[in-house]
Every structure is written in structure tokens, then in C-alpha cells.
Amino acid sequence: MALSLYHHSILLSCFLLLKTGVHVESKRVPAIIVFGDSTVDAGNNNPLPTISKSNFAPYGRDLEGGKATGRFSNGRIATDFISEAFGNKPLVPAYLDSSYGIEDFATGVTFASAGTGFDNKTAAVTSVIPLWKEVEYFKDYKTRLATLLGRKAAAETIRDAVYIISIGTNDFAINYFALPDRSLHFTLEEYENFLIGIANNFMVELYRLGARKISLGGLPPIGCLPIIRTLDPGHACIEEFNTLARKFDLKLKSLAAKLRGELQGSKVVFSNIYYQAMDVIQKPSLYGFENVKNGCCGSGRFEVSYLCHRSNPLTCKDASKYAFWDSVHPSEKLHFIVANNMMKTSLAEFV
Ligand SMILES: *[C@@H]1O[C@H](CO)[C@@H](O)[C@H](O)[C@H]1NC(C)=O
């Protein structure tokens, strides 16, 4: 009897799986709301005078219509897959993309800006949107949402939405280690704690504005980004940067746990992406990758933003064989793997 019930439930699960595919049907998450940098930007930098852009070919070549939206990838990015996994739309639009309106943003929106960081001075390096300004846009969004849906329904959307935060790499890669200012005034440890303080205030502010389900994303294995590998003669990962990422991740993880305890009714989680990305880099064939050291675009060693352009004859034919699309950013396939892992781990409780 027990056995047949067991079989019955396996059959039932198989049936449900067939019916719903990889999607998780859910009514509890009306929107995905995103803050951060190029890992989760979908075109907010397009109208800005900055070099941190990707709204030109070959970016987006594997999106429907081959459209370069401002996503730093050949196709969709992790937050698009996460939105879809929650039963929502397959693309999370950028708040500053004028081809979308508040009706679109009501079910998901990204305020992220490529090149930005926790630190105001990081955004200033390439004249992009600082994190505090992303929050200002979110406040504007809340006002428009209330006009669209009515105050009560808008407040429910804000409360039930899942907030995805992905930011921090640039504070180290294009600020602390690249420019003298912060490194003259802060030891690395002090700078990390300075960033954690900003992250703390930022999340308390989101909570105050109505957010409850918040995912604070960790850093990737920075030392294995193709552009960082160029620092090593044999193109090995630079362990110093990976150690930094793991160490900072521990601080972000503690911060998430602390805030979850302090902010009543909140569900703050830490999303570790480091170990999933590292598994891909260490066992590429397990995931169907042929190259995890170079980006698909151009030589794959230096090309990012304007250096990744359509006429480069070296650009690979099939980006799904590459973990990285350009010298800094994941291919659509790695974005999918990371999103899928988050759905099974940190985001599982929001399903
Ligand atoms: C960043 O800039 C904003 C706007 O000027 C300011 O309100 C905020 O205090 C700054 N953050 C830090 C940590 O200096």
C-alpha cells in the first residue's frame, strides 16, 4: 500500500512536471523587482552618456529578433529566467527603456545600471546610476504603480514581489583595485565594511518602502572572469580575487541573516552564486561548455561594451558552448544555470 501510494505520487509529480515544464506556477509573486549592476541591467544605461553600454550588436543576438536591449549577454539574463520560473513574463524590462510603460513594469522591472556599485564613487567612474538613485527610481515606480492599480493593490504588489539584488563586483574591479582614491583611504578590510554598511542601509530602506522578500546576491568568482585571467601568464584564475569574493560573500551572508532577524516580517536571503559558477568553471563538460576561459565575443580576453562589436571576426558561432559571452559577463546559458540554482536554493522559499 505504502509502495503504491509512493508510486502514485511519483506519477503525479511526473504529470505535474510535464504539465508545467520547468515553470513554477505561483500566484504569490506578482513581480520581480531588481537592483544592481550589469549582471541584471536590461538597458537602463541606454540613454546615458557612458561607455558602460551594450545596446548594439552582437549583444542580444540570441534574443528574439536579435535585439540588443542593453542586456550584457547574447540572450536573456538570470533575472529573466527567475521571472519566468515564478510564472511571470520571460523578460524583465529596464525602468528607463521608453518602449515600456508602467503596465509592463507592474509585473517586473529592473533599476540596475551597468558599472555601478554599492559605493557612490564606483558609479562615478563610468557616469552611471548610483545605487541611491536606483532607489529614487523605485520610489517613482511605487507612485506610478499606485496610480495604475490603486493604493491597496499596489501595496500588495510591493509586499509580495521578490526583490533581487546583484551588485558589488565593480566596487573592487573598477574602483578599489583600479583607482587610487579608495585604496589610499581604506584598507581592503575597511572598504569591505564600508560597503557592507551601505548594503545594510540600502536594504533597510527597501524594507521601509515595503519590500519583504529580498535576495542579496553574492559576488561571482571574480578571479575567473576572462579579463582578470589575462593578468596570469597561463590564463589561470587569480586566486587572490576569488578569495576576496568568498570572504566578502561571508559578510553579505551575515548581513542578510542579521537583517532577517531585525526587520519584522521580512524574508531576507543570501544568494550564493560563487559555487555554482565555480562548478561550471571546474567541470565545463558536465554542463556542455567547451570554453570557460574566454568570452565568446572577439578574442574573449578584453572585449566588453564598445570593444565587443559586430565586425570582430573572432567572435564565436555558438555562445552556448561558452560560459562567458564577453570578457566579463556570463553567456545566456550560464545565466540560466545560475538562475536555476537560485530557484532551487535561496529563492525556493518564495515559490
Ligand atoms: C551617496 O550619495 C547620495 C546622494 O548625494 C548621498 O545621499 C549618500 O549619503 C551617499 N552615500 C554615501 C555612503 O556616501
Side-chain angles (χ1 to χ4, degrees), residues 120 132 182 194 198:
N120 284 339
W132 68 267
R182 290 310 196 192
F194 170 68
I198 296 170

Side-chain angles (χ1 to χ4, degrees), residues 218-221 239 242-243 245-247 249-250 253 270-283 287 334 337-338 341 345:
L219 301 185
E239 189 46 38
N242 285 349
T243 307
R246 289 193 303 270
K247 188 160 154 265
D249 276 358
L250 289 180
K253 188 179 174 185
F270 171 69
S271 292
N272 182 304
I273 59 148
Y274 181 98
Y275 291 105
Q276 177 63 83
M278 212 52 200
D279 199 55
V280 165
I281 288 161
Q282 286 167 345
K283 296 171 229 155
Y287 298 88
L334 180 54
I337 291 168
V338 167
N341 179 256
T345 55

Side-chain angles (χ1 to χ4, degrees), residues 118-139:
F118 285 116
D119 184 355
N120 284 339
K121 288 206 170 168
T122 303
V125 175
T126 55
S127 307
V128 297
I129 306 169
L131 187 57
W132 68 267
K133 188 93 181 271
E134 292 189 24
V135 176
E136 291 302 307
Y137 285 125
F138 175 58
K139 291 179 189 166

Side-chain angles (χ1 to χ4, degrees), residues 6 17 22-23 28 51-52 91 101 123 132 139 141 143 161 164 178 210 234 249 253 257 268 280 282 288 347:
Y6 174 71
L17 203 66
V22 295
H23 303 246
R28 292 167 57 208
I51 55 157
S52 298
L91 291 171
W132 68 267
K139 291 179 189 166
Y141 167 74
T143 307
I164 306 282
D249 276 358
K253 188 179 174 185
V268 182
V280 165
Q282 286 167 345
L347 302 183

